[in-house]
Short mmCIF file of all heavy atoms in Angstrom, two decimals:
data_model
loop_
_atom_site.label_atom_id
_atom_site.label_comp_id
_atom_site.label_asym_id
_atom_site.label_seq_id
_atom_site.Cartn_x
_atom_site.Cartn_y
_atom_site.Cartn_z
N GLN B 255 12.56 31.20 -12.00
CA GLN B 255 12.86 30.82 -13.38
C GLN B 255 11.99 31.60 -14.36
O GLN B 255 12.46 32.06 -15.41
CB GLN B 255 12.64 29.29 -13.54
CG GLN B 255 13.66 28.46 -12.75
CD GLN B 255 13.20 27.01 -12.50
OE1 GLN B 255 12.02 26.69 -12.60
NE2 GLN B 255 14.15 26.14 -12.17
N VAL B 256 10.70 31.80 -13.99
CA VAL B 256 9.80 32.57 -14.85
C VAL B 256 10.28 34.03 -14.94
O VAL B 256 10.27 34.63 -16.02
CB VAL B 256 8.35 32.51 -14.31
CG1 VAL B 256 7.43 33.43 -15.11
CG2 VAL B 256 7.82 31.08 -14.34
N LEU B 257 10.71 34.60 -13.82
CA LEU B 257 11.17 35.99 -13.82
C LEU B 257 12.39 36.15 -14.72
O LEU B 257 12.54 37.16 -15.41
CB LEU B 257 11.49 36.45 -12.40
CG LEU B 257 10.29 36.61 -11.45
CD1 LEU B 257 10.75 37.01 -10.05
CD2 LEU B 257 9.31 37.64 -12.00
N CYS B 258 13.29 35.17 -14.69
CA CYS B 258 14.47 35.24 -15.57
C CYS B 258 14.06 35.09 -17.03
O CYS B 258 14.53 35.82 -17.90
CB CYS B 258 15.49 34.16 -15.20
SG CYS B 258 16.29 34.45 -13.62
N GLU B 259 13.16 34.17 -17.30
CA GLU B 259 12.71 33.96 -18.69
C GLU B 259 11.99 35.19 -19.22
O GLU B 259 12.05 35.51 -20.40
CB GLU B 259 11.77 32.75 -18.77
CG GLU B 259 12.47 31.39 -18.63
CD GLU B 259 13.31 31.03 -19.86
OE1 GLU B 259 13.01 31.54 -20.95
OE2 GLU B 259 14.26 30.25 -19.71
N SER B 260 11.27 35.90 -18.33
CA SER B 260 10.48 37.04 -18.79
C SER B 260 11.31 38.32 -18.85
O SER B 260 10.79 39.36 -19.25
CB SER B 260 9.28 37.25 -17.87
OG SER B 260 9.74 37.65 -16.60
N GLY B 261 12.56 38.24 -18.42
CA GLY B 261 13.43 39.40 -18.52
C GLY B 261 13.31 40.37 -17.36
O GLY B 261 13.99 41.39 -17.33
N LEU B 262 12.49 40.06 -16.37
CA LEU B 262 12.41 40.96 -15.21
C LEU B 262 13.68 40.87 -14.36
O LEU B 262 14.02 41.79 -13.63
CB LEU B 262 11.19 40.63 -14.35
CG LEU B 262 9.84 41.15 -14.87
CD1 LEU B 262 8.70 40.69 -13.97
CD2 LEU B 262 9.85 42.67 -14.97
N LEU B 263 14.34 39.72 -14.42
CA LEU B 263 15.62 39.55 -13.74
C LEU B 263 16.61 38.96 -14.75
O LEU B 263 16.21 38.20 -15.64
CB LEU B 263 15.47 38.62 -12.53
CG LEU B 263 14.63 39.15 -11.35
CD1 LEU B 263 14.43 38.06 -10.30
CD2 LEU B 263 15.27 40.39 -10.72
N PRO B 264 17.89 39.27 -14.59
CA PRO B 264 18.88 38.76 -15.54
C PRO B 264 19.34 37.35 -15.19
O PRO B 264 19.15 36.89 -14.06
CB PRO B 264 20.04 39.75 -15.38
CG PRO B 264 19.95 40.16 -13.94
CD PRO B 264 18.48 40.17 -13.59
N GLY B 265 19.95 36.68 -16.15
CA GLY B 265 20.55 35.37 -15.87
C GLY B 265 19.58 34.23 -16.13
O GLY B 265 18.49 34.42 -16.67
N ALA B 266 20.01 33.03 -15.71
CA ALA B 266 19.20 31.84 -15.95
C ALA B 266 19.51 30.80 -14.88
O ALA B 266 20.53 30.87 -14.19
CB ALA B 266 19.49 31.26 -17.33
N LEU B 267 18.61 29.84 -14.77
CA LEU B 267 18.79 28.73 -13.81
C LEU B 267 18.96 27.45 -14.62
O LEU B 267 18.10 27.11 -15.44
CB LEU B 267 17.57 28.59 -12.90
CG LEU B 267 17.36 29.61 -11.77
CD1 LEU B 267 18.64 29.81 -10.97
CD2 LEU B 267 16.80 30.93 -12.25
N ILE B 268 20.06 26.76 -14.39
CA ILE B 268 20.31 25.54 -15.15
C ILE B 268 20.42 24.35 -14.20
O ILE B 268 20.39 24.50 -12.98
CB ILE B 268 21.58 25.65 -16.03
CG1 ILE B 268 22.82 25.84 -15.16
CG2 ILE B 268 21.42 26.79 -17.03
CD1 ILE B 268 24.12 25.71 -15.93
N ARG B 269 20.56 23.17 -14.77
CA ARG B 269 20.63 21.91 -14.05
C ARG B 269 21.66 21.98 -12.92
O ARG B 269 22.77 22.48 -13.12
CB ARG B 269 21.02 20.80 -15.04
CG ARG B 269 20.91 19.40 -14.51
CD ARG B 269 19.56 18.82 -14.86
NE ARG B 269 19.36 17.57 -14.16
CZ ARG B 269 19.66 16.37 -14.67
NH1 ARG B 269 20.13 16.28 -15.90
NH2 ARG B 269 19.46 15.27 -13.96
#
Side-chain angles (χ1 to χ4, degrees):
Chain B
Q255 293 161 341
V256 174
L257 291 178
C258 290
E259 287 288 336
S260 67
L262 281 177
L263 292 173
L267 285 312
I268 63 169
R269 190 94 190 266

